[in-house]
């Protein structure tokens, strides 16, 4: 995907005071206000030490264009998404660098329906930003600023949709991120006994922010010691969820995606499950008997939300723990997701048992070095060669190239941020997976050499 000067795969992201500066935040505020031509915008921020200065600058820019600002302060991304709809705003902006290290920060813009700005909308913002041609209003039309806290409303609405018969012991690890101010409280209001880890929202992160088996070892240990029923973890802005089961084992993202998609079909009825081209077969095989039809989009929450908004569906999720529950909102929401996970346990049983029903296949990943300027040509060569040398039934080329048949799939995709080509593949047996990877690697290396 072609990236602009400022906006990348997930809004604006970079080192504070180097790439992401208060000056830039001011201009983004002006650009958003110019794009909207007035109206109302919700602004929320994560716990990073640089968030307050960026938020203040962004709000200044918005107000100067005549936009009314509702500042919800420290807020996980899903709470900002919720507030956009609650306050009937025209857009939302989050100051966050998601799972990146503490010295990073970023800006992400959201639509009135709760989904992120599409690449086209970001390109338009970028054009306004570059032109410096911002909307200016006279003194008596400057936007008003008010502060609000939508947490109570969020919890009240969530409790209308999620109901438990029993109470559970839940360990919540918010990673010192913005989830700290909401996720443990929602779990408590659901009637659970909550043990909260890393919930001091200081901007100093005790663990790596990406939820994975390594970063959640403390959570896993707590589950074993406290004999808890489940662990819920988030990244810095809590749009993602990682789950640790009742035995203290991190539940692989693909397995969790299958389980929750299956539960959504049980809860809301048959229908479409939206995922991305890098998701494996387990999801298809697990949800088919439950009346689920899997649709694949480009990688990224905005592509999943866009598909759900345009064509409907029961559930959308990526194999990175980013889930969108359209009955709730089009903003990825790791906190509401946490409530649904407990409801699933309440109805169906412990996750360690449920996970046994999800089929396991062999997934292999490889990275082949490829200079950015060679990526397009190399992909062209791969497209032609892959077509010839593999015996596949279907080709999906919405994001990279995925070829598949009923026994395996291979995805060739250039990285959006690094000078590498990624190969992801899945097969039913180790032997087939290895053999396919050998051929795929050879093909990509050859393509990069010739590009
Ligand atoms: Mg995130």
């Amino acid at each position: 995907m072609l990236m602009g000067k400022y906006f990348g795969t997930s809004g604006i992201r970079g080192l504070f005071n180097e790439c992401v500066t208060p000056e830039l935040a001011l201009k983004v505020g002006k650009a958003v206000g110019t794009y909207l031509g007035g109206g109302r915008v919700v602004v929320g921020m994560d716990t990073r030490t640089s968030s307050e200065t960026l938020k203040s600058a962004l709000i200044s820019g918005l107000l100067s264009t005549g936009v009314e600002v509702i500042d919800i302060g420290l807020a996980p991304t899903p709470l900002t998404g919720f507030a956009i709809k609650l306050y009937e705003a025209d857009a939302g902006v989050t100051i966050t660098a998601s799972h990146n290290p503490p010295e990073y920060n970023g800006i992400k813009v959201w639509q009135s329906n709760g989904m992120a700005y599409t690449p086209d909308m970001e390109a338009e913002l970028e054009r306004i930003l570059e032109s410096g041609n911002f909307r200016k209003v006279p003194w008596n039309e400057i936007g008003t600023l008010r502060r609000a806290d939508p947490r109570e409303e969020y919890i009240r609405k969530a409790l209308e949709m999620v109901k438990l018969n029993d109470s559970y012991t839940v360990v919540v690890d918010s990673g010192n991120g913005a989830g700290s101010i909401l996720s443990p409280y929602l779990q408590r209001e659901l009637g659970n006994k909550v043990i909260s880890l890393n919930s001091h929202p200081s901007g100093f992160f005790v663990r790596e922010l990406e939820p994975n088996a390594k970063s959640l070892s403390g959570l896993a240990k707590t589950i074993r010691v406290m004999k808890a029923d489940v662990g819920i973890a988030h990244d810095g802005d809590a749009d993602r969820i990682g789950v640790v089961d009742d035995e203290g084992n991190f539940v692989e993202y693909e397995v969790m995606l299958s389980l929750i998609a299956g539960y959504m079909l049980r809860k809301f009825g048959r229908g479409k499950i939206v995922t991305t081209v890098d998701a494996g077969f387990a999801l298809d095989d697990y949800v088919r008997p439950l009346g689920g039809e899997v649709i694949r989009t480009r990688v990224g929450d905005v592509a999943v939300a866009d598909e759900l908004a345009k064509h409907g569906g029961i559930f959308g999720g990526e194999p990175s723990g980013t889930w969108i529950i359209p009955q709730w909102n089009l903003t990825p929401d790791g906190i509401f997701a946490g409530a649904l996970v407990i409801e699933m346990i309440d109805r169906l049983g412990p996750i360690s048992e449920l996970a046994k029903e999800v089929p396991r296949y062999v997934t292999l990943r490889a990275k082949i070095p490829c200079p950015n300027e060679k990526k397009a040509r190399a992909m062209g060569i791969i497209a032609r060669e892959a077509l010839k040398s593999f015996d596949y039934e279907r080709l999906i080329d919405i994001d990279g190239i995925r070829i598949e048949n009923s026994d395996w799939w291979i995805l060739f995709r250039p990285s959006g941020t690094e000078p590498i080509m990624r190969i992801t593949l899945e097969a039913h047996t180790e032997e087939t997976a290895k053999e396919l990877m050998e051929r795929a690697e050879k093909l990509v290396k050859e393509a990069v050499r010739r590009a």
Side-chain angles (χ1 to χ4, degrees):
M1 196 192 296
L2 257 175
M3 297 299 159
K5 187 173 163 198
Y6 300 107
F7 287 90
T9 37
S10 196
I12 294 172
R13 193 79 65 81
L15 275 175
F16 172 69
N17 261 349
E18 296 295 329
C19 159
V20 180
T21 61
E23 290 85 349
L24 177 64
L26 177 77
K27 283 188 202 165
V28 172
K30 288 185 179 193
V32 171
T34 305
Y35 179 88
L36 295 170
R40 184 183 295 157
V41 174
V42 171
V43 179
M45 62 172 193
D46 73 11
T47 59
R48 287 160 201 277
T49 53
S50 58
S51 289
E52 189 70 54
T53 171
L54 293 171
K55 188 195 74 175
S56 303
L58 181 105
I59 289 177
S60 282
L62 285 166
L63 294 172
S64 77
T65 63
V67 164
E68 176 195 351
V69 175
I70 301 179
D71 175 9
I72 63 168
L74 178 55
T77 290
L79 185 64
T80 305
F82 175 82
I84 294 168
K85 293 174 85 174
L86 179 69
Y87 303 131
E88 295 174 342
D90 301 288
V93 184
T94 47
I95 307 289
T96 179
S98 192
H99 60 274
N100 287 151
E103 60 272 27
Y104 283 75
N105 216 328
I107 304 171
K108 193 161 172 174
V109 190
W110 305 85
Q111 303 181 42
S112 59
N113 66 357
M115 71 177 269
Y117 265 36
T118 62
D120 284 350
M121 297 167 103
E122 288 182 338
E124 182 58 19
L125 283 183
E126 183 134 353
R127 197 194 57 71
I128 298 169
L129 218 157
E130 288 273 76
S131 77
N133 205 351
F134 301 119
R135 187 172 198 252
K136 286 182 189 160
V137 295
W139 69 273
N140 55 354
E141 287 173 28
I142 291 171
T144 53
L145 169 64
R146 73 180 157 107
R147 292 183 174 81
D149 185 349
R151 275 181 292 178
E152 245 176 65
E153 274 298 300
Y154 179 101
I155 290 175
R156 196 182 62 74
K157 287 247 166 71
L159 294 182
E160 282 174 12
M161 277 184 70
V162 180
K163 292 190 167 35
L164 306 181
N165 298 316
D166 270 313
S167 172
Y168 300 88
T169 303
V170 182
V171 189
V172 181
D173 181 344
S174 302
N176 305 96
S180 308
I181 65 153
L182 187 59
S183 198
Y185 297 94
L186 173 61
Q187 289 295 341
R188 192 175 66 189
E189 292 303 317
L190 279 164
N192 295 318
K193 183 183 172 209
V194 179
I195 300 161
S196 201
L197 296 185
N198 303 326
S199 58
H200 183 54
S202 61
F204 292 84
F205 306 128
V206 172
R207 64 157 166 88
E208 186 204 331
L209 282 180
E210 168 135 18
N212 55 46
K214 193 167 147 269
S215 68
L216 302 185
S217 58
L219 172 58
K221 203 179 277 174
T222 309
I223 288 178
R224 288 189 210 111
V225 172
M226 303 300 291
K227 305 216 179 317
D229 296 299
V230 67
I232 302 289
H234 305 295
D235 65 331
D237 63 329
D239 60 338
R240 290 170 59 183
I241 181 171
V243 178
V244 178
D245 71 15
D246 45 295
E247 290 174 354
N249 296 314
F250 178 75
V251 189
E252 292 301 327
Y253 280 123
E254 295 262 359
V255 173
M256 211 52 230
L257 181 64
S258 296
L259 286 180
I260 199 69
Y263 180 62
M264 291 293 98
L265 290 164
R266 288 179 169 105
K267 186 175 166 77
F268 294 108
R270 310 165 72 87
K272 274 185 249 173
I273 300 294
V274 180
T275 191
T276 46
V277 286
D278 54 343
F281 279 144
L283 178 65
D284 305 62
D285 293 351
Y286 186 76
V287 303
R288 202 175 295 118
L290 297 164
E293 181 204 349
V294 176
I295 307 286
R296 283 186 169 76
T297 70
R298 282 183 294 112
V299 173
D301 64 83
V302 65
V304 173
D306 203 31
E307 173 67 27
L308 288 166
K310 284 186 180 138
H311 304 116
I314 300 296
F315 171 81
E318 290 188 82
S320 58
T322 314
W323 301 351
I324 296 172
I325 299 104
Q327 300 82 355
W328 171 248
N329 202 352
L330 289 173
T331 311
D333 192 333
I335 295 171
F336 186 74
L340 285 172
V341 167
I342 313 300
E343 194 186 57
M344 175 175 78
I345 294 169
D346 188 66
R347 301 297 192 277
L348 304 178
I351 293 189
S352 61
E353 285 300 314
L354 296 177
K356 290 177 188 159
E357 292 161 23
V358 179
R360 306 291 167 102
Y361 304 126
V362 185
T363 307
L364 297 179
R365 292 185 179 85
K367 295 179 195 175
I368 311 287
C370 176
N372 289 334
E373 64 275 10
K374 280 188 163 191
K375 280 176 180 170
R377 276 196 309 268
M379 281 305 288
I381 296 168
I382 291 166
R384 291 192 297 275
E385 305 296 318
L387 287 177
K388 264 189 265 163
S389 59
F390 288 94
D391 183 22
Y392 66 90
E393 287 164 14
R394 282 175 301 279
L395 182 143
I396 308 173
D397 61 357
I398 45 177
D399 192 0
I401 298 162
R402 173 171 159 141
I403 51 172
E404 62 178 35
N405 62 31
S406 54
D407 295 323
W408 52 259
W409 59 269
I410 310 175
L411 174 68
F412 303 94
R413 187 170 173 269
S415 162
T417 49
E418 296 167 77
I420 52 169
M421 288 288 214
R422 292 183 198 282
I423 306 169
T424 313
L425 66 82
E426 191 181 56
H428 286 169
T429 66
E430 185 98 35
E431 199 189 345
T432 313
K434 279 188 180 153
E435 188 237 329
L436 286 169
M437 184 53 94
E438 221 169 274
R439 288 170 60 196
E441 279 191 56
K442 218 169 120 190
L443 188 142
V444 172
K445 279 179 190 157
E446 177 69 13
V448 172
R449 197 185 55 77
R450 280 166 48 199

